[in-house]
């Protein structure tokens, strides 16, 4: 089986397993796990932030951001198809007690003017706008890269209004490798950043959230309240360090394979690539080929390829380090067979 359901399916490399085995550990709730401390310092340095915190998942990182930046009854501006809004179980309202204000973006990028217009003035009727969330790359927009200038404009508006920016950068490394824009250049237009070690970077567990020393101190307390204070966490932080050392530049291979796949699929009758492929995600509309996504996924599975559903007629293919260049040819053949054998 060639598995393109997600880049979260990546299994730890042997270097990661070795690193986990050999990791120096301590009690991280006491701040005494040297491997966790090393990972947090390394990540903060890469992002150009004062401090970072190792958290269990991207979702936990995003939730901690809302809990730390906001008070119950506040409002958060975010993109209408963002992961936080669609795929985190309404955690923002359930946990932080905040209301989401979704704005429809273009390829995941909100219009800065819309953001400015959505910021609430002081009024007895209104919630306080206390956070703006961005997502780069944007998952639902097909791994779209949010332009640096868009981030800059929104950051300037936010600054003028004293509102922090949180970046859901689950795949920020994909954006950086594909665009050639340094991580720090992206994160300079944010107050806090979350990125996933466990997607294309291939670590088995964990995310990073980064920001100021003061923010991270408060975030650490929220993580503890959520039950995310871990003990000898060096065994899971060590693979994260390997991911940052070994697996960043190779994301370019995933992007190249995604491009090859998209070009190959463009020739299949009835298939439409929904959104320009900039990184490792391909959204394919199968409606004109006469299928629902579920039907098409079944056909693909019979041909030895697994993909995911992103709507009634949309399937998602995500390249990752278990998918080789050679595999892309097999996937194109499998898809062409699936479209022809109705
Ligand atoms: C995967 C993802 C998350 C959540 O990360 P988990 O580790 O799965 O909780 C958040 N935002 C985006 C854009 C994602 O793709």
């Amino acid at each position: 089986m060639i598995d393109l359901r997600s880049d979260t399916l990546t299994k730890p490399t042997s270097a990661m397993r070795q690193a986990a085995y050999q990791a120096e550990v301590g009690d991280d709730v006491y701040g005494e796990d040297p491997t966790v401390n090393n990972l947090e310092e390394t990540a903060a340095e890469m992002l150009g932030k004062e401090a970072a915190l190792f958290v269990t998942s991207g979702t936990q990182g995003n939730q901690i951001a809302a809990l730390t930046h906001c008070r119950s009854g506040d409002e958060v501006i975010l993109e209408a198809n963002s992961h936080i809004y669609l795929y985190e179980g309404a955690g923002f309202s359930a946990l932080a007690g905040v209301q989401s204000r979704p704005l429809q973006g273009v390829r995941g990028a909100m219009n800065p003017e819309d953001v400015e217009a959505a910021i609430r003035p002081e009024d007895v009727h209104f919630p306080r706008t206390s956070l703006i969330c961005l997502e780069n790359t944007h998952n639902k927009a097909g791994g779209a890269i949010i332009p640096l200038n868009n981030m800059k404009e929104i950051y300037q508006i936010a600054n003028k209004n004293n509102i922090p920016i949180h970046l859901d950068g689950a795949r920020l490394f994909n954006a950086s490798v594909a665009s050639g824009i340094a991580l720090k250049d992206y994160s300079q237009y944010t107050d806090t950043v979350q990125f996933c070690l466990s997607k294309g970077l291939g670590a088995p567990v964990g995310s990073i959230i980064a920001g100021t020393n003061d923010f991270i101190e408060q975030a650490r307390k929220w993580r503890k309240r959520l039950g995310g204070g871990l003990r000898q966490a060096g065994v899971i932080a060590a693979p994260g360090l390997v991911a940052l050392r070994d697996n960043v530049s190779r994301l370019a291979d995933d992007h190249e394979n995604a491009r090859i796949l998209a070009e190959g699929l463009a020739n299949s009758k009835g298939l439409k690539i929904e959104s320009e492929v900039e990184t490792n995600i391909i959204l394919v509309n199968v409606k004109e080929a006469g299928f629902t996504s579920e039907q098409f996924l079944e056909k693909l599975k019979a041909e030895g390829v697994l993909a995911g559903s992103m709507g009634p007629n949309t399937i998602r293919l995500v390249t990752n380090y278990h998918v080789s260049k050679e595999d892309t040819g097999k996937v194109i053949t499998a898809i062409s067979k699936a479209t022809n054998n109705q």
Side-chain angles (χ1 to χ4, degrees):
M1 278 287 175
I2 301 175
D3 199 342
L4 293 156
R5 287 173 300 164
S6 180
D7 47 9
T8 57
L9 294 151
T10 43
K11 293 178 184 165
T13 60
S14 55
M16 288 178 187
R17 291 169 195 263
Q18 280 299 323
Y21 184 72
Q22 290 164 351
E24 259 189 81
V25 295
D27 189 332
D28 182 51
V29 175
Y30 286 33
E32 290 176 7
D33 188 300
T35 308
V36 172
N37 292 342
N38 182 4
L39 174 62
E40 291 178 344
E41 282 159 24
T42 302
E45 161 62 27
M46 289 174 94
L47 292 164
K49 296 291 187 201
E50 285 175 7
L53 184 67
F54 183 47
V55 294
T56 54
S57 67
T59 302
Q60 190 182 62
N62 290 335
Q63 296 304 321
I64 287 173
L67 287 160
T68 308
H69 286 300
C70 310
R71 294 191 304 248
S72 169
D74 286 350
E75 188 168 73
V76 177
I77 296 171
L78 40 63
E79 205 279 326
N81 286 306
S82 62
H83 190 281
I84 291 171
Y85 190 57
L86 294 183
Y87 301 125
E88 299 191 9
F92 269 33
S93 46
L95 302 173
V98 297
Q99 167 167 289
S100 291
R101 181 87 177 271
L103 303 181
Q104 183 62 54
V106 176
R107 290 183 61 70
M110 294 183 285
N111 182 337
E113 287 173 19
D114 295 348
V115 173
E116 188 154 37
I119 293 172
R120 305 278 199 161
E122 181 50 44
D123 183 297
V124 70
H125 298 89
F126 294 158
R128 181 177 72 115
T129 305
S130 60
L131 184 63
I132 299 168
C133 294
L134 308 177
E135 181 175 317
N136 202 2
T137 63
H138 195 287
N139 174 33
K140 198 87 188 334
I145 299 170
I146 305 301
L148 187 64
N149 203 46
N150 178 265
M151 290 182 60
K152 182 180 179 182
E153 285 182 43
I154 294 176
Y155 182 67
Q156 285 168 345
I157 290 164
N159 255 352
K160 206 168 65 187
N161 290 278
N162 275 321
I163 300 169
I165 298 269
H166 172 68
L167 173 62
D168 176 359
R171 296 189 179 85
L172 186 63
F173 283 84
N174 294 85
S176 173
V177 167
S179 66
I181 294 170
L183 281 190
K184 283 182 188 176
D185 289 337
Y186 282 119
S187 58
Q188 70 180 315
Y189 300 129
T190 70
D191 292 278
T192 56
V193 182
Q194 180 277 120
F195 73 77
C196 290
L197 292 159
S198 62
K199 294 198 168 167
L201 294 179
V205 189
S207 271
I208 290 290
I209 178 165
T212 62
N213 285 323
D214 181 51
F215 174 88
I216 292 300
E217 203 176 301
Q218 296 174 57
R220 195 176 288 280
K221 193 164 219 169
W222 276 114
R223 186 186 68 173
K224 189 75 180 88
R225 289 188 181 114
L226 294 174
L230 302 178
R231 302 296 179 181
Q232 285 73 37
V235 291
I236 53 174
L241 277 163
V242 174
L244 294 178
R245 187 191 69 201
D246 294 351
N247 285 2
V248 174
S249 57
R250 66 146 308 285
L251 291 173
D253 300 342
D254 296 346
H255 303 161
E256 169 71 359
N257 288 340
R259 202 185 48 75
I260 294 170
L261 272 179
E263 275 174 15
L265 301 188
N267 298 322
S268 284
K269 199 168 49 136
L271 299 185
K272 243 202 307 241
I273 307 293
E274 285 191 354
S275 136
E276 187 199 336
V277 175
E278 294 183 286
T279 55
N280 66 333
I281 299 177
I282 308 157
L283 300 180
V284 187
N285 194 298
V286 296
K287 191 168 183 190
E288 280 176 26
F291 298 103
T292 64
S293 42
E294 294 308 327
Q295 290 167 336
F296 198 78
L297 292 176
E298 276 305 304
K299 291 260 177 199
L300 271 186
K301 193 170 172 183
E303 300 293 340
V305 174
L306 296 176
S309 169
M310 279 289 259
N313 297 102
T314 304
I315 65 162
R316 187 183 77 158
L317 308 169
V318 187
T319 52
N320 62 70
Y321 73 61
H322 296 305
V323 179
S324 66
K325 194 164 201 167
E326 194 195 351
D327 289 335
T328 61
K330 294 183 192 160
V331 173
I332 293 166
T333 306
I335 290 185
S336 134
K337 276 194 190 157
T339 42
N340 289 324
N341 299 336
Q342 301 195 28

